[in-house]
């Protein structure tokens, strides 16, 4: 499907009505809605689907408290949009964290009420399956209550290659060591043209999906993501959704879909524009309508700002993602939005929803239905380390708990 395909026979209003009523729409219809439907009507249709999907709890919007633990920025894959990585030969910029450091970060996460860690880093030339087995096992031994929702198909492909094993074996081993679920990392854009343009050394989009499908069949669920705004067409965005929906029809293993916008600083794609905030909201809405087999659509305020995150809850999103106690990857590329738990609760409430802290698998852990009982701990806030702020050359030190 291309932007130029003859889509003139598609009736926007009729398709929107069918989608709002729960009917499945084709990729061609999705493209027409994404491109041409009035924004407010698209949002209303997506919200109608969300309300029906969450009948009984449609008044709730969720968030999670987690921490990204970036174990290394050393990476051989050199994605052009990435402002985080250091090439192995760039000894001044590259860093790795040792296990004690990682465990200390886990301890801080538990102390602040976080329930999930996202282990995220570069494709280090020496890190095979054994590295992840050792670290996940150590984390689970010390902090069995922490859910390890981490990595993705790209890391699996890389670690399997380094260790000389199949991806099936790699997934089975890291799952046994403690990995609970895969984050949707590395999906970027799945169609071939835009993927090659921004991540030429990464596995293909088909391979990314194949590995996710293997993981789902091995009992490891995941989320799915999309990086918007690096020069892809509308048709390629919809093709990305089509590829996810097709796998999901077979496995049901994608818990959520999370689009986020490209951040343009400090990378090799200078000059490319970000997706507009309207395009982002349209994507949230079309994802809710087109991905009828994916339960959760996550709005992101980290890259789009709090107001847009809030609006996303009226465009089909049921979840506002995480208060990340530490984040360095998109922050390195320019994302500067910060918030704390009280602000996120307030933001959700002012969007007309009841906020609820959730688990990785979307159970409601705390429902904030009475403002008088709201948590008041200002330390539970999203944060970036000195690496992201200063483009740091030293091992980053988290300042979050400096006041402790
Ligand atoms: S996005 Fe990931 S794989 Fe690509 S260069 Fe950055 S750290 Fe490496």
């Amino acid at each position: 499907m291309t932007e130029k395909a003859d889509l003139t026979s598609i009736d926007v209003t009729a398709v929107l009505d069918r989608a709002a009523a729960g009917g499945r729409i084709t990729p061609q219809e999705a493209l027409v809605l994404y491109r041409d439907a009035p924004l407010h009507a698209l949002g209303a249709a997506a919200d109608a689907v969300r309300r029906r999907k969450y009948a009984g709890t449609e008044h709730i919007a969720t968030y999670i408290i987690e921490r990204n633990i970036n174990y290394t920025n050393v990476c051989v894959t050199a994605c052009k949009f990435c402002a985080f990585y250091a090439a192995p030969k760039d000894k001044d910029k590259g860093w790795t964290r040792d296990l004690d450091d990682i465990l200390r970060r886990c301890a801080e996460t538990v102390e602040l009420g976080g329930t999930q860690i996202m282990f995220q880093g570069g494709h280090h030339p020496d890190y095979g399956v054994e590295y992840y087995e050792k670290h996940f096992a150590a984390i689970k031994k010390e902090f069995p209550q922490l859910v390890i929702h981490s990595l993705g198909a790209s890391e699996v492909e890389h670690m399997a290659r380094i260790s000389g094993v199949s991806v099936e074996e790699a997934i089975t081993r890291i799952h046994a060591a403690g990995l609970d679920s895969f984050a949707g990392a590395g999906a970027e854009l799945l169609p071939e043209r835009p993927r090659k343009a921004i991540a030429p050394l990464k596995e293909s989009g088909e391979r990314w999906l194949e590995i996710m499908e293997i993981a789902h069949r091995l009992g490891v669920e995941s989320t799915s993501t999309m990086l918007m705004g690096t020069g892809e067409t509308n048709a390629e965005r919809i093709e990305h959704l089509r590829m996810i929906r097709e796998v999901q029809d077979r496995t049901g293993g994608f818990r959520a879909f999370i689009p986020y916008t490209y951040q343009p600083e400090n990378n090799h794609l200078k000059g490319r524009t970000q997706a507009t905030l309207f395009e982002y909201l349209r994507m949230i809405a079309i994802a809710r309508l087109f991905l009828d087999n994916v339960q959760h659509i996550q709005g992101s305020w980290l890259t789009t700002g709090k107001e847009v995150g809030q609006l996303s809850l009226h465009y089909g999103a049921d979840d506002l993602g995480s208060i990340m106690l530490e984040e360095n990857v998109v922050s390195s590329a320019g994302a500067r939005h910060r918030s704390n738990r009280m602000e996120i609760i307030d933001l959700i409430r002012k969007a007309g929803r009841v906020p609820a802290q959730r688990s990785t698998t979307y159970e409601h852990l705390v429902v904030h239905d009475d403002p008088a009982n709201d948590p008041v701990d200002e330390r539970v806030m999203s944060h970036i380390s000195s690496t992201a702020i200063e483009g740091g050359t030293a091992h980053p030190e988290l300042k979050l708990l400096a006041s402790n």
Side-chain angles (χ1 to χ4, degrees):
M1 183 177 62
T2 69
E3 208 70 67
K4 293 190 179 112
D6 182 14
L7 305 172
T8 50
S9 61
I10 294 174
D11 180 333
V12 170
T13 307
V15 175
L16 207 48
D17 287 348
R18 176 156 49 85
R24 178 163 273 207
I25 60 174
T26 67
Q28 290 80 5
E29 290 169 337
L31 177 57
V32 169
L33 291 191
Y34 183 65
R35 214 179 49 186
D36 301 337
L39 181 60
H40 67 280
L42 195 60
D47 197 49
V49 171
R50 180 196 64 81
R51 285 174 182 279
R52 201 171 42 251
K53 217 168 187 110
Y54 288 91
T57 57
E58 71 273 19
H59 57 292
I60 287 179
T62 50
Y63 71 92
I64 188 169
I65 302 175
E66 70 164 356
R67 184 170 194 167
N68 271 21
I69 296 182
N70 303 118
Y71 49 94
T72 182
N73 68 342
V74 177
C75 185
V76 295
T77 304
C79 300
K80 292 184 184 173
F81 64 88
C82 181
F84 171 75
Y85 84 94
K89 64 179 183 208
D90 193 348
K91 304 286 183 209
D92 287 340
K93 192 179 168 200
W95 48 262
T96 58
R97 293 192 201 288
D98 62 28
L99 182 56
D100 285 346
D101 185 337
I102 288 167
L103 292 175
R104 180 176 64 79
R105 286 163 200 271
C106 290
E108 290 169 352
T109 306
V110 170
E111 187 190 336
L112 292 175
T115 58
Q116 170 179 298
I117 61 163
M118 184 149 9
F119 210 65
Q120 187 183 35
H123 296 172
H124 193 291
D126 300 332
Y127 291 0
V129 177
E130 301 73 18
Y131 171 87
Y132 296 94
E133 282 182 309
K134 174 183 162 190
H135 285 74
F136 291 162
I139 292 168
K140 280 291 183 182
K141 182 161 178 254
E142 296 253 348
F143 307 102
Q145 68 273 54
L146 276 180
V147 173
I148 304 178
H149 175 71
S150 301
L151 310 180
S154 299
E155 286 86 357
V156 171
E157 180 86 326
H158 177 74
M159 75 175 78
R161 189 184 315 124
I162 297 291
S163 295
V165 300
S166 66
V167 297
E168 286 84 350
E169 180 177 333
I171 293 168
T172 303
R173 283 171 54 184
I174 60 175
H175 184 36
L179 177 89
D180 292 288
S181 51
F182 283 117
E188 327 304 2
L189 286 150
L190 295 170
E192 186 177 356
R193 190 205 65 80
R195 190 174 186 83
K196 277 208 168 130
I198 62 170
L201 301 183
K202 234 169 205 163
E203 72 292 329
S204 69
E206 283 80 12
R207 181 63 175 157
W208 188 92
L209 284 168
E210 192 182 326
I211 295 170
M212 284 290 100
E213 187 158 357
I214 291 168
H216 296 171
R217 293 199 190 290
L218 290 171
V220 187
E221 293 191 332
S222 71
T223 50
S224 56
T225 59
M226 175 198 273
L227 173 63
M228 298 179 65
T230 60
E232 74 283 358
T233 65
N234 289 332
E236 286 163 343
R237 289 176 184 168
I238 300 301
E239 175 64 4
H240 181 103
L241 297 183
R242 184 200 66 75
M243 293 166 83
I244 288 173
R245 188 170 80 173
E246 202 175 288
V247 170
Q248 182 74 342
D249 274 342
R250 291 196 292 271
T251 72
F254 288 120
R255 290 177 184 153
F257 175 69
I258 309 155
Y260 63 102
T261 54
Y262 159 65
Q263 302 297 299
E265 292 178 18
N266 307 322
N267 62 38
H268 297 289
L269 285 183
K270 287 193 179 70
R272 306 230 182 173
T273 52
Q274 284 169 284
T276 68
L277 299 177
F278 291 131
E279 287 177 292
Y280 171 76
L281 288 172
R282 297 183 84 87
M283 177 49 63
I284 290 282
I286 204 66
R288 176 58 82 193
L289 296 175
F290 184 77
L291 296 177
D292 54 356
N293 53 4
V294 175
Q295 182 66 25
H296 302 283
I297 304 294
Q298 180 179 313
S300 162
W301 53 270
L302 180 67
T303 58
T304 57
K306 291 166 204 153
E307 290 83 0
V308 176
Q310 200 173 34
L311 268 176
S312 72
L313 296 177
H314 292 276
Y315 281 77
D318 59 286
D319 179 72
L320 217 43
S322 57
I323 297 164
M324 277 190 233
L325 302 176
E326 179 181 358
E327 202 292 320
N328 296 306
V329 177
V330 293
S331 303
S332 303
R336 287 288 179 271
H337 300 289
R338 295 287 162 262
S339 196
N340 64 39
R341 186 185 195 182
M342 292 177 293
E343 200 176 5
I344 291 293
I345 289 171
D346 186 53
L347 195 130
I348 291 174
R349 198 171 274 139
K350 284 181 176 153
R353 302 277 167 75
V354 173
Q357 184 189 348
R358 69 163 170 91
S359 68
T360 304
T361 47
Y362 293 86
E363 286 88 21
H364 297 163
L365 302 177
V366 186
V367 178
H368 306 290
D369 47 10
D370 182 355
N373 296 330
D374 279 357
V376 289
D377 190 346
E378 286 186 354
R379 297 175 309 159
V380 184
M381 62 182 295
S382 61
H383 197 91
I384 51 180
S385 76
S386 56
T387 298
I389 297 169
E390 295 153 12
T393 53
H395 192 75
E397 276 306 314
L398 190 74
K399 295 169 185 158
L400 173 65
L401 297 178
S403 59
N404 265 8

